[in-house]
């Protein structure tokens, strides 16, 4: 078919003379040929959702910190029930055995326990411990064992996730020497989140490591730094080797 006088260039439907205006309403919605001034505009570019590169990391670290806090709280409560070693028993070569203090845990036993162990492996080292909490959340089975310490006012807790040790914490197992540090309010104020473990301890002075956590590939450790008079203390939590949280009580 040849072109008409009204359509000398053969544009087809949708063609208009210059100045003739846009197509009628009945013709709208039908795109003109490519290059036509009335060709349908291209669809707007789709907006791509912004990715969250740190959400997973933040969630993992948050879970670690929450678990550390739970461990420390449970240990602190359990520590008040601790008692002195009534038997003074020891294993071969003078090392404390699982039966020392009628099954009460010592610092040496505590240090031998590692995250990832099963409950049976843990209690083979510590001796009998009490189940202080047990629950299942989102399909994950959790259990907390509390072990009374051989020293006065001492205890340890072990938190299991799906049968494997995810966190451990202790209070008082280091004895009186661990309760007397050099922490002050001035030192505490100099501590900044993001410091490495070495940097923070260089400021804080002698501190006692009281918790270890390993969850979803992220690790955390907790330290307690006491004042010289033993009345004040600071709690420091390190996530993957960096200071992530701090708290203090009674420091002057």
């Amino acid at each position: 078919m040849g072109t008409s006088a009204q359509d000398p260039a053969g544009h087809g439907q949708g063609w208009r003379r210059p100045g003739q205006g846009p197509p009628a309403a009945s013709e709208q919605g039908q795109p003109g040929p490519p290059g036509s001034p009335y060709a349908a505009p291209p669809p707007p570019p789709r907006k791509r959702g912004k990715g969250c590169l740190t959400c997973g990391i933040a969630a993992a670290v948050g879970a670690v910190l929450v678990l550390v806090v739970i461990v420390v709280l449970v240990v602190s409560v359990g520590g008040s029930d601790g008692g002195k070693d009534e038997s003074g028993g020891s294993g071969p070569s003078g090392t404390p055995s699982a039966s020392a203090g009628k099954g009460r845990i010592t610092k040496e036993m505590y240090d031998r326990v590692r995250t990832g162990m099963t409950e049976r492996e843990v209690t083979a080292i510590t001796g009998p411990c009490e189940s202080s909490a047990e629950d299942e959340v989102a399909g994950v089975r959790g259990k907390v064992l509390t072990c009374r310490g051989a020293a006065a006012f001492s205890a340890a807790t072990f938190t299991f996730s799906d049968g494997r040790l995810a966190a451990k914490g202790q209070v008082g197992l280091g004895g009186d020497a661990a309760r007397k540090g050099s922490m002050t309010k001035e030192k505490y104020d100099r501590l900044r989140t993001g410091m490495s473990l070495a940097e923070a301890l260089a400021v804080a002075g002698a501190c006692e490591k009281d918790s270890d956590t390993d969850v979803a590939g992220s690790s955390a450790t907790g330290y307690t730094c006491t004042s010289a008079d033993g009345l004040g203390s600071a709690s420091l939590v390190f996530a993957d080797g960096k200071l992530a949280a701090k708290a203090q009580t009674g420091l002057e």
Side-chain angles (χ1 to χ4, degrees), residues 198-249:
E199 291 171 335
L201 295 184
V203 173
C207 299
E208 184 182 24
K209 186 178 180 180
D210 54 23
S211 67
D212 284 281
T213 308
D214 191 350
V215 177
S218 293
S219 61
T221 55
Y223 284 79
T224 296
C225 313
T226 58
S227 59
D229 59 11
L231 299 179
S233 66
S235 296
L236 310 179
V237 177
F238 296 85
D240 294 326
K242 299 292 185 180
L243 182 61
K246 66 175 187 174
Q248 67 90 13
T249 179

Side-chain angles (χ1 to χ4, degrees), residues 50-66:
K50 295 183 178 179
C52 182
L53 299 178
T54 60
C55 290
I57 297 174
V61 172
V64 169
L65 295 180
V66 169

Side-chain angles (χ1 to χ4, degrees), residues 54-81:
T54 60
C55 290
I57 297 174
V61 172
V64 169
L65 295 180
V66 169
L67 189 53
V68 168
V69 171
I70 292 173
V71 169
V72 173
L73 287 177
V74 173
V75 170
S76 299
V77 173
S80 62
D81 293 331

Side-chain angles (χ1 to χ4, degrees), residues 139-244:
V140 177
R141 292 179 294 106
K143 184 176 183 179
V144 178
L145 294 182
T146 298
C147 310
R148 294 186 178 186
F153 305 106
S154 65
T157 60
F158 300 97
T159 303
F160 296 85
S161 176
D162 280 340
R164 293 286 177 176
L165 184 64
K168 67 174 187 174
Q170 65 87 16
V171 62
L173 294 183
D176 292 337
R179 296 189 179 102
K180 294 181 179 180
S182 60
M183 176 59 72
T184 63
K185 183 63 164 57
E186 184 271 335
K187 288 183 177 181
Y188 177 84
D189 292 339
R190 287 164 53 196
L191 295 171
R192 296 286 183 269
T193 55
M195 281 184 168
S196 67
L197 175 62
E199 291 171 335
L201 295 184
V203 173
C207 299
E208 184 182 24
K209 186 178 180 180
D210 54 23
S211 67
D212 284 281
T213 308
D214 191 350
V215 177
S218 293
S219 61
T221 55
Y223 284 79
T224 296
C225 313
T226 58
S227 59
D229 59 11
L231 299 179
S233 66
S235 296
L236 310 179
V237 177
F238 296 85
D240 294 326
K242 299 292 185 180
L243 182 61

